[in-house]
Amino acid sequence: LHVVIGKRVSDERLKIISMSRVATFDDLHDIFKRFNVGYACLDMLPETRKCRDFQDAEPGKIYLCQYLDNPGQTHFTNENVVKIYRTDICDATHHLVTTKGLLEIPRSCKEVDEYAEEMTNIARVLEEDKESGTKCYRYRRLGPDHYRHATNYLKIVFDQMPIVADSGANKRSRHAGSFAV
């Protein structure tokens, strides 16, 4: 499980606090408690049952994410499932990464290097439907990209959560978390 923990510090600026890889959902529970995670978005596939159990066990707003392959508006269901067009959310995180000052990550270390590599293991390509001739952009995997999707899920919850002051005074502020398998 690839986990990204962060907070929203302005309308557009996101600060990643931690990134890690863990083996079990028990480890994930420990991380959520340690970072006081109040908002989260998890990839609901392939472990839908475990994700639902996690969602039921954790306090706070926990969404499960399902990517859509066709353009459409993002929507949240009554079961706290968010359905989102994969290209749209990948475009949104691309904007975060390529626009100076919007995404703050921890200082360089082995895990940050892995994060950076996985964030770039995806490419936007123009595809054409052979029958209709319709063209659209899609993101294609170039290598391991789990942290990219965990960042996509984090962006989804950032848009739902309040802004958190970026100061040391409020050590128990609620953070957002996400994970990808």
Side-chain angles (χ1 to χ4, degrees), residues 19 21 24 47-48 51 56 67 83 86-87 91 101 104 111 125 129-130 132 136 142 153:
M19 56 200 65
R21 293 171 279 179
T24 70
E47 297 285 358
T48 304
C51 288
D56 292 341
Y67 282 146
K83 297 183 179 193
R86 187 175 186 271
T87 299
D91 281 346
E104 182 179 339
E111 203 61 32
V125 295
D129 182 289
K130 295 194 187 293
S132 68
C136 70
L142 303 175
Y153 308 138

Side-chain angles (χ1 to χ4, degrees), residues 127-136:
E127 294 183 351
E128 182 176 354
D129 182 289
K130 295 194 187 293
E131 291 181 23
S132 68
T134 303
K135 295 179 182 180
C136 70

Side-chain angles (χ1 to χ4, degrees), residues 19-134:
M19 56 200 65
S20 59
R21 293 171 279 179
V22 299
T24 70
F25 278 81
D26 287 338
D27 297 330
L28 190 60
H29 285 290
D30 293 343
I31 288 173
F32 272 49
K33 184 175 182 178
R34 185 170 126 216
F35 286 99
N36 194 31
V37 173
Y39 298 82
C41 186
L42 296 85
D43 183 352
M44 71 183 292
L45 298 174
E47 297 285 358
T48 304
R49 183 189 54 78
K50 286 184 179 181
C51 288
R52 287 266 184 221
D53 291 346
F54 184 87
Q55 187 181 43
D56 292 341
E58 286 294 329
K61 199 67 163 173
I62 313 290
Y63 298 101
L64 305 181
C65 185
Q66 181 179 18
Y67 282 146
L68 303 175
D69 287 329
N70 296 313
Q73 190 172 10
T74 299
H75 63 281
F76 293 80
T77 71
N78 291 339
E79 297 84 31
N80 284 332
V81 172
V82 59
K83 297 183 179 193
I84 191 165
Y85 179 44
R86 187 175 186 271
T87 299
D88 283 348
I89 192 61
C90 287
D91 281 346
T93 54
H94 179 79
H95 175 72
L96 282 176
V97 171
T98 59
T99 304
K100 185 177 180 178
L102 290 188
L103 181 66
E104 182 179 339
I105 62 174
R107 68 178 177 211
S108 185
C109 67
K110 184 178 178 182
E111 203 61 32
V112 170
D113 293 344
E114 180 67 24
Y115 176 85
E117 183 175 328
E118 291 192 18
M119 286 294 288
T120 60
N121 276 341
I122 192 168
R124 188 174 192 245
V125 295
L126 184 62
E127 294 183 351
E128 182 176 354
D129 182 289
K130 295 194 187 293
E131 291 181 23
S132 68
T134 303

